[in-house]
Amino acid sequence: ARCHPATAYRKRKHVFRLGLSDGKEFLFQAKDEADMALWLRAIEAAAGATLGPGGPREGSGVPGGPPKGMSRAL
C-alpha cells in the first residue's frame, strides 16, 4: 500500500490517497492537517506491518479502528 497527501485534489481540504497493490485507489478526508498526518503515519505503519494476505502481524499494534486519539469522522 502507498499513502500520501492528494495535493492535486482541489475539491476538498486535507485529502490523502491510499493506493493498494492491486491498483485500487481511495481518497480519504481528515478533519485538519494534524489529523491527516496522524492517519498517514498510522496507515504507513500498518502497511509496513503486514505480511502478505495474512494481514497485520500479531502484536503489531494495528487495532480494528483508528489509532488512539484519532477521530472516526473519516
Side-chain angles (χ1 to χ4, degrees):
R2 297 171 322 278
C3 192
H4 54 84
T7 54
Y9 190 78
R10 302 279 183 217
K11 293 180 182 181
R12 296 180 186 267
K13 291 182 180 183
H14 317 300
V15 174
F16 60 95
R17 184 178 311 272
L18 174 64
L20 304 181
S21 59
D22 64 2
K24 294 177 185 169
E25 289 192 346
F26 300 90
L27 293 174
F28 294 89
Q29 182 182 16
K31 66 180 179 177
D32 56 28
E33 193 74 28
D35 194 42
M36 182 172 70
L38 284 172
W39 275 102
L40 291 172
R41 283 195 302 272
I43 292 170
E44 288 170 352
T50 59
L51 292 174
R57 280 182 271 167
E58 192 172 323
S60 66
V62 181
K68 186 176 179 179
M70 295 180 69
S71 71
R72 287 191 153 269
L74 298 176

Coordinates of all heavy atoms in Angstrom, one line a residue:
A1 N 0.8 -1.2 0.0 CA 0.0 0.0 0.0 C 0.9 1.2 0.0 O 2.0 1.2 0.5 CB -0.9 0.0 1.2
R2 N 0.4 2.3 -0.6 CA 1.0 3.6 -0.6 C 0.0 4.6 -0.1 O -1.1 4.6 -0.5 CB 1.4 4.0 -2.1 CG 2.4 3.1 -2.7 CD 2.7 3.4 -4.2 NE 1.5 3.7 -4.9 CZ 0.6 2.9 -5.4 NH1 0.7 1.6 -5.2 NH2 -0.5 3.3 -6.1
C3 N 0.5 5.6 0.7 CA -0.4 6.6 1.2 C 0.3 7.9 1.2 O 1.5 8.0 1.6 CB -0.7 6.2 2.7 SG -2.1 7.1 3.4
H4 N -0.3 8.9 0.6 CA 0.3 10.3 0.6 C -0.8 11.3 0.4 O -1.9 11.0 -0.1 CB 1.3 10.3 -0.6 CG 0.7 9.9 -1.9 ND1 0.0 10.7 -2.7 CD2 0.7 8.7 -2.5 CE1 -0.4 10.1 -3.8 NE2 0.0 8.8 -3.7
P5 N -0.5 12.6 0.7 CA -1.5 13.6 0.5 C -1.8 13.8 -0.9 O -1.0 13.6 -1.8 CB -0.7 14.9 1.0 CG 0.4 14.4 1.9 CD 0.7 13.0 1.4
A6 N -3.1 14.0 -1.2 CA -3.6 14.2 -2.6 C -3.5 15.7 -2.9 O -4.5 16.4 -2.9 CB -5.0 13.7 -2.7
T7 N -2.3 16.1 -3.2 CA -2.1 17.6 -3.4 C -2.8 18.1 -4.7 O -3.1 19.3 -4.7 CB -0.6 17.9 -3.5 OG1 0.0 17.0 -4.5 CG2 0.1 17.6 -2.2
A8 N -3.0 17.2 -5.7 CA -3.7 17.7 -6.9 C -5.2 17.7 -6.7 O -5.9 18.3 -7.6 CB -3.3 16.7 -8.1
Y9 N -5.7 17.2 -5.7 CA -7.2 17.2 -5.4 C -7.6 18.5 -4.8 O -7.2 18.8 -3.7 CB -7.5 16.0 -4.5 CG -9.0 15.7 -4.4 CD1 -9.7 15.1 -5.4 CD2 -9.7 16.2 -3.3 CE1 -11.0 14.8 -5.3 CE2 -11.1 15.9 -3.2 CZ -11.7 15.3 -4.2 OH -13.1 15.0 -4.1
R10 N -8.4 19.3 -5.5 CA -8.7 20.6 -5.1 C -10.1 20.8 -4.6 O -10.5 21.8 -4.1 CB -8.5 21.6 -6.3 CG -7.2 21.6 -6.9 CD -6.2 22.4 -6.1 NE -4.9 22.5 -6.7 CZ -3.8 22.5 -6.0 NH1 -3.8 22.5 -4.7 NH2 -2.7 22.5 -6.6
K11 N -11.0 19.8 -4.7 CA -12.4 19.9 -4.2 C -12.5 20.0 -2.7 O -13.5 20.7 -2.2 CB -13.2 18.7 -4.7 CG -13.3 18.7 -6.2 CD -14.2 17.5 -6.7 CE -14.3 17.4 -8.2 NZ -15.1 16.3 -8.6
R12 N -11.7 19.4 -2.0 CA -11.7 19.4 -0.5 C -10.3 19.5 0.1 O -9.4 19.2 -0.6 CB -12.4 18.1 0.0 CG -13.8 18.0 -0.4 CD -14.4 16.6 0.1 NE -15.7 16.4 -0.4 CZ -16.8 16.7 0.2 NH1 -16.7 17.3 1.4 NH2 -18.0 16.4 -0.3
K13 N -10.3 20.0 1.3 CA -9.0 20.2 2.0 C -8.7 18.9 2.8 O -9.6 18.1 3.1 CB -9.1 21.3 3.0 CG -9.2 22.7 2.4 CD -9.2 23.7 3.4 CE -9.3 25.1 2.8 NZ -9.2 26.2 3.8
H14 N -7.4 18.7 3.1 CA -6.9 17.6 4.0 C -7.3 16.2 3.4 O -7.8 15.3 4.2 CB -7.5 17.8 5.4 CG -7.4 19.2 5.9 ND1 -6.2 19.9 6.0 CD2 -8.4 20.0 6.3 CE1 -6.5 21.1 6.4 NE2 -7.8 21.2 6.6
V15 N -7.1 16.0 2.1 CA -7.4 14.8 1.5 C -6.1 14.0 1.2 O -5.1 14.6 0.8 CB -8.2 15.0 0.2 CG1 -8.4 13.7 -0.6 CG2 -9.5 15.7 0.4
F16 N -6.1 12.7 1.5 CA -5.0 11.9 1.2 C -5.5 10.6 0.4 O -6.6 10.3 0.4 CB -4.2 11.5 2.4 CG -5.0 10.7 3.5 CD1 -4.9 9.3 3.5 CD2 -5.7 11.3 4.4 CE1 -5.6 8.6 4.5 CE2 -6.4 10.6 5.4 CZ -6.3 9.2 5.4
R17 N -4.5 10.1 -0.3 CA -4.8 9.0 -1.3 C -4.1 7.7 -0.7 O -3.0 7.7 -0.3 CB -4.2 9.3 -2.6 CG -4.5 8.4 -3.7 CD -3.9 8.8 -5.1 NE -4.2 10.2 -5.4 CZ -5.3 10.6 -6.1 NH1 -6.2 9.7 -6.5 NH2 -5.5 11.9 -6.3
L18 N -4.9 6.6 -0.7 CA -4.4 5.3 -0.4 C -4.4 4.5 -1.6 O -5.5 4.3 -2.2 CB -5.3 4.7 0.7 CG -5.0 3.3 1.1 CD1 -3.6 3.2 1.7 CD2 -6.0 2.7 2.1
G19 N -3.3 4.0 -2.0 CA -3.2 3.1 -3.2 C -2.8 1.7 -2.8 O -1.8 1.5 -2.1
L20 N -3.6 0.7 -3.2 CA -3.3 -0.7 -2.9 C -2.5 -1.3 -4.0 O -2.4 -0.9 -5.1 CB -4.6 -1.4 -2.7 CG -5.6 -0.8 -1.7 CD1 -6.8 -1.6 -1.6 CD2 -4.9 -0.7 -0.3
S21 N -1.9 -2.4 -3.6 CA -1.0 -3.2 -4.5 C -1.8 -3.7 -5.7 O -1.2 -4.0 -6.8 CB -0.3 -4.3 -3.8 OG -1.2 -5.2 -3.2
D22 N -3.1 -3.9 -5.6 CA -3.9 -4.4 -6.7 C -4.4 -3.3 -7.7 O -5.1 -3.6 -8.6 CB -5.1 -5.2 -6.2 CG -6.1 -4.4 -5.4 OD1 -5.9 -3.2 -5.3 OD2 -7.1 -4.9 -4.9
G23 N -3.9 -2.1 -7.4 CA -4.2 -1.0 -8.3 C -5.4 -0.1 -7.9 O -5.6 1.0 -8.4
K24 N -6.1 -0.5 -6.9 CA -7.2 0.3 -6.4 C -6.7 1.5 -5.6 O -5.7 1.4 -4.9 CB -8.2 -0.5 -5.5 CG -8.9 -1.6 -6.3 CD -9.7 -2.5 -5.3 CE -10.3 -3.6 -6.1 NZ -10.9 -4.6 -5.2
E25 N -7.4 2.6 -5.8 CA -7.1 3.8 -5.0 C -8.3 4.4 -4.3 O -9.4 4.3 -4.9 CB -6.5 4.9 -5.9 CG -5.1 4.6 -6.5 CD -4.4 5.7 -7.1 OE1 -5.1 6.7 -7.5 OE2 -3.2 5.6 -7.4
F26 N -8.1 4.9 -3.1 CA -9.1 5.5 -2.3 C -8.7 6.9 -1.8 O -7.5 7.1 -1.5 CB -9.4 4.6 -1.1 CG -9.9 3.2 -1.5 CD1 -8.9 2.2 -1.7 CD2 -11.2 3.0 -1.7 CE1 -9.3 0.9 -2.0 CE2 -11.6 1.7 -2.1 CZ -10.7 0.7 -2.3
L27 N -9.7 7.8 -1.8 CA -9.4 9.1 -1.2 C -10.1 9.2 0.2 O -11.2 8.8 0.3 CB -10.0 10.2 -2.1 CG -9.3 10.4 -3.5 CD1 -10.1 11.4 -4.3 CD2 -7.9 10.8 -3.3
F28 N -9.4 9.8 1.1 CA -9.9 10.0 2.5 C -9.7 11.5 2.8 O -8.8 12.1 2.4 CB -9.2 9.1 3.5 CG -9.3 7.7 3.3 CD1 -8.5 6.9 2.5 CD2 -10.4 7.0 3.9 CE1 -8.7 5.6 2.3 CE2 -10.5 5.6 3.8 CZ -9.7 4.9 2.9
Q29 N -10.7 12.0 3.6 CA -10.6 13.4 4.1 C -10.5 13.4 5.6 O -11.3 12.8 6.3 CB -11.8 14.2 3.6 CG -11.7 15.6 4.1 CD -12.9 16.4 3.7 OE1 -13.9 15.9 3.4 NE2 -12.8 17.7 3.7
A30 N -9.5 14.1 6.1 CA -9.3 14.2 7.5 C -9.9 15.6 8.0 O -10.1 16.4 7.1 CB -7.8 14.2 7.9
K31 N -10.0 15.7 9.3 CA -10.7 17.0 9.7 C -9.7 18.2 9.7 O -10.2 19.3 9.5 CB -11.2 16.8 11.2 CG -10.1 16.6 12.2 CD -10.7 16.5 13.6 CE -9.6 16.2 14.6 NZ -10.1 16.2 15.9
D32 N -8.4 17.9 9.8 CA -7.4 19.0 9.6 C -6.1 18.4 9.3 O -5.9 17.2 9.1 CB -7.3 19.8 10.9 CG -7.0 19.0 12.2 OD1 -6.3 18.0 12.0 OD2 -7.4 19.4 13.3
E33 N -5.1 19.3 9.1 CA -3.7 18.9 8.7 C -3.1 17.9 9.7 O -2.5 16.9 9.3 CB -2.8 20.1 8.5 CG -1.5 19.8 7.8 CD -1.7 19.6 6.3 OE1 -2.7 20.2 5.7 OE2 -0.9 18.9 5.7
A34 N -3.2 18.2 11.0 CA -2.7 17.3 12.0 C -3.3 15.9 12.0 O -2.6 14.9 12.1 CB -2.8 18.0 13.4
D35 N -4.6 15.9 11.9 CA -5.3 14.6 11.8 C -4.9 13.8 10.6 O -4.7 12.6 10.6 CB -6.8 14.9 11.8 CG -7.7 13.6 12.1 OD1 -7.3 12.8 13.0 OD2 -8.7 13.4 11.4
M36 N -4.7 14.5 9.5 CA -4.2 13.8 8.2 C -2.8 13.2 8.5 O -2.6 12.1 8.1 CB -4.2 14.8 7.0 CG -3.8 14.1 5.8 SD -3.9 15.1 4.3 CE -2.7 16.3 4.5
A37 N -2.0 14.0 9.1 CA -0.6 13.5 9.4 C -0.7 12.2 10.3 O 0.1 11.3 10.1 CB 0.2 14.5 10.0
L38 N -1.6 12.2 11.3 CA -1.7 11.0 12.1 C -2.2 9.8 11.3 O -1.6 8.7 11.5 CB -2.7 11.3 13.3 CG -2.2 12.2 14.4 CD1 -3.4 12.5 15.3 CD2 -1.2 11.5 15.2
W39 N -3.2 10.0 10.5 CA -3.7 8.9 9.6 C -2.6 8.4 8.7 O -2.4 7.2 8.5 CB -4.9 9.4 8.8 CG -6.2 9.3 9.6 CD1 -6.9 10.3 10.2 CD2 -6.9 8.1 9.9 NE1 -8.0 9.8 10.9 CE2 -8.0 8.4 10.6 CE3 -6.7 6.7 9.5 CZ2 -8.9 7.5 11.1 CZ3 -7.6 5.8 10.0 CH2 -8.7 6.2 10.7
L40 N -1.8 9.3 8.1 CA -0.8 8.9 7.2 C 0.2 8.0 7.9 O 0.6 7.0 7.4 CB -0.1 10.1 6.5 CG -1.0 10.9 5.5 CD1 -0.3 12.1 5.1 CD2 -1.3 10.0 4.3
R41 N 0.7 8.5 9.1 CA 1.7 7.7 9.8 C 1.1 6.3 10.2 O 1.8 5.3 10.1 CB 2.1 8.5 11.1 CG 3.1 9.6 10.7 CD 3.8 10.1 12.0 NE 2.9 10.6 13.0 CZ 2.5 11.8 13.1 NH1 2.9 12.7 12.2 NH2 1.7 12.2 14.0
A42 N -0.1 6.3 10.7 CA -0.7 5.1 11.1 C -0.9 4.1 9.9 O -0.6 2.9 10.1 CB -2.1 5.3 11.8
I43 N -1.3 4.6 8.8 CA -1.5 3.7 7.6 C -0.2 3.2 7.1 O 0.0 2.0 6.8 CB -2.3 4.4 6.5 CG1 -3.7 4.7 7.0 CG2 -2.3 3.6 5.2 CD1 -4.5 5.6 6.1
E44 N 0.8 4.1 7.1 CA 2.2 3.6 6.7 C 2.7 2.6 7.6 O 3.3 1.6 7.2 CB 3.1 4.8 6.6 CG 2.7 5.7 5.4 CD 3.5 7.0 5.4 OE1 4.2 7.3 6.4 OE2 3.4 7.8 4.4
A45 N 2.5 2.8 8.9 CA 3.0 1.8 9.9 C 2.2 0.4 9.7 O 2.9 -0.6 9.8 CB 2.8 2.3 11.3
A46 N 0.9 0.5 9.5 CA 0.2 -0.7 9.3 C 0.6 -1.4 8.0 O 0.7 -2.6 7.9 CB -1.3 -0.4 9.3
A47 N 0.8 -0.7 6.9 CA 1.2 -1.2 5.7 C 2.6 -1.9 5.8 O 2.8 -3.0 5.2 CB 1.3 -0.2 4.6
G48 N 3.5 -1.4 6.6 CA 4.8 -1.9 6.8 C 4.7 -3.2 7.8 O 5.6 -4.0 7.8
A49 N 3.6 -3.3 8.5 CA 3.5 -4.4 9.5 C 2.8 -5.6 8.9 O 2.8 -6.7 9.5 CB 2.7 -3.9 10.7
T50 N 2.3 -5.5 7.7 CA 1.6 -6.6 7.1 C 2.6 -7.6 6.5 O 3.7 -7.3 6.0 CB 0.6 -6.2 6.0 OG1 1.4 -5.5 4.9 CG2 -0.4 -5.3 6.5
L51 N 2.1 -8.9 6.5 CA 2.9 -10.0 5.9 C 2.1 -10.6 4.8 O 1.6 -11.7 5.0 CB 3.3 -11.0 7.0 CG 4.3 -10.5 8.0 CD1 4.5 -11.5 9.1 CD2 5.7 -10.2 7.3
G52 N 1.9 -10.0 3.7 CA 1.1 -10.6 2.6 C -0.4 -10.6 3.0 O -0.9 -9.8 3.7
P53 N -1.1 -11.7 2.5 CA -2.5 -11.7 2.7 C -3.0 -12.0 4.1 O -4.1 -11.9 4.4 CB -3.0 -12.9 1.7 CG -1.8 -13.7 1.5 CD -0.6 -12.7 1.6
G54 N -2.1 -12.4 5.0 CA -2.4 -12.7 6.3 C -2.8 -11.5 7.2 O -3.3 -11.6 8.3
G55 N -2.5 -10.3 6.7 CA -2.8 -9.1 7.5 C -1.7 -8.7 8.4 O -0.6 -9.1 8.3
P56 N -2.0 -7.9 9.4 CA -1.0 -7.4 10.3 C -0.5 -8.5 11.2 O -1.1 -9.5 11.5 CB -1.8 -6.4 11.2 CG -3.1 -6.1 10.5 CD -3.3 -7.3 9.6
R57 N 0.8 -8.4 11.5 CA 1.5 -9.3 12.4 C 0.9 -9.2 13.8 O 0.5 -8.2 14.2 CB 3.0 -9.0 12.5 CG 3.7 -9.5 11.3 CD 5.2 -9.3 11.5 NE 5.4 -7.9 10.9 CZ 6.5 -7.2 11.1 NH1 7.4 -7.6 11.8 NH2 6.6 -6.0 10.5
E58 N 0.9 -10.3 14.5 CA 0.4 -10.3 15.8 C 1.3 -9.4 16.7 O 2.5 -9.4 16.6 CB 0.4 -11.7 16.4 CG -0.3 -11.9 17.7 CD -0.4 -13.4 18.1 OE1 -0.5 -14.2 17.2 OE2 -0.3 -13.6 19.3
G59 N 0.6 -8.5 17.5 CA 1.4 -7.6 18.3 C 1.9 -6.4 17.6 O 2.7 -5.7 18.1
S60 N 1.4 -6.2 16.3 CA 1.9 -5.0 15.6 C 1.3 -3.7 16.0 O 1.7 -2.7 15.5 CB 1.7 -5.2 14.1 OG 0.3 -5.2 13.8
G61 N 0.3 -3.8 16.9 CA -0.4 -2.6 17.4 C -1.4 -2.0 16.4 O -1.7 -0.8 16.5
V62 N -1.8 -2.7 15.4 CA -2.8 -2.3 14.4 C -4.2 -2.8 14.8 O -4.5 -3.9 14.6 CB -2.4 -2.8 13.0 CG1 -3.4 -2.2 12.0 CG2 -1.0 -2.3 12.7
P63 N -5.0 -1.9 15.6 CA -6.3 -2.4 16.0 C -7.3 -2.3 14.9 O -7.0 -1.9 13.8 CB -6.6 -1.3 17.1 CG -5.9 -0.1 16.7 CD -4.6 -0.6 16.0
G64 N -8.5 -2.7 15.2 CA -9.6 -2.7 14.2 C -10.1 -1.4 13.9 O -10.8 -1.2 12.9
G65 N -9.8 -0.4 14.7 CA -10.3 1.0 14.5 C -9.2 2.0 14.3 O -8.0 1.5 14.2
P66 N -9.5 3.3 14.3 CA -8.4 4.2 14.2 C -7.5 4.3 15.4 O -8.0 3.9 16.5 CB -9.1 5.6 14.0 CG -10.4 5.4 14.6 CD -10.8 3.9 14.4
P67 N -6.2 4.7 15.3 CA -5.3 4.7 16.5 C -5.9 5.7 17.5 O -6.7 6.6 17.2 CB -4.0 5.3 15.9 CG -4.1 4.9 14.4 CD -5.6 5.0 14.1
K68 N -5.5 5.5 18.8 CA -5.9 6.3 19.9 C -5.8 7.8 19.6 O -4.7 8.2 19.1 CB -5.1 5.9 21.1 CG -5.6 6.5 22.4 CD -4.9 6.0 23.6 CE -5.4 6.7 24.8 NZ -4.7 6.3 26.0
G69 N -6.8 8.5 19.9 CA -6.7 10.0 19.7 C -7.2 10.4 18.3 O -7.2 11.6 18.1
M70 N -7.5 9.5 17.5 CA -7.9 9.9 16.1 C -9.4 9.8 16.0 O -10.1 9.0 16.6 CB -7.2 9.0 15.1 CG -5.7 9.1 15.1 SD -5.0 8.1 13.9 CE -5.5 8.9 12.4
S71 N -10.0 10.7 15.2 CA -11.4 10.7 15.0 C -11.9 9.6 14.1 O -11.1 9.1 13.2 CB -11.9 12.1 14.5 OG -11.5 12.2 13.2
R72 N -13.1 9.2 14.1 CA -13.7 8.3 13.2 C -14.5 9.0 12.1 O -15.2 8.4 11.4 CB -14.6 7.3 13.9 CG -13.9 6.3 14.8 CD -14.9 5.3 15.2 NE -14.3 4.0 15.5 CZ -14.1 3.1 14.6 NH1 -14.5 3.2 13.4 NH2 -13.5 1.9 14.9
A73 N -14.3 10.3 12.0 CA -15.0 11.2 11.1 C -14.8 10.8 9.7 O -15.5 11.2 8.8 CB -14.8 12.6 11.4
L74 N -13.7 10.1 9.4 CA -13.4 9.8 8.0 C -14.4 8.9 7.5 O -14.6 8.8 6.3 CB -12.0 9.1 8.0 CG -10.9 10.0 8.4 CD1 -9.6 9.2 8.4 CD2 -10.7 11.2 7.5

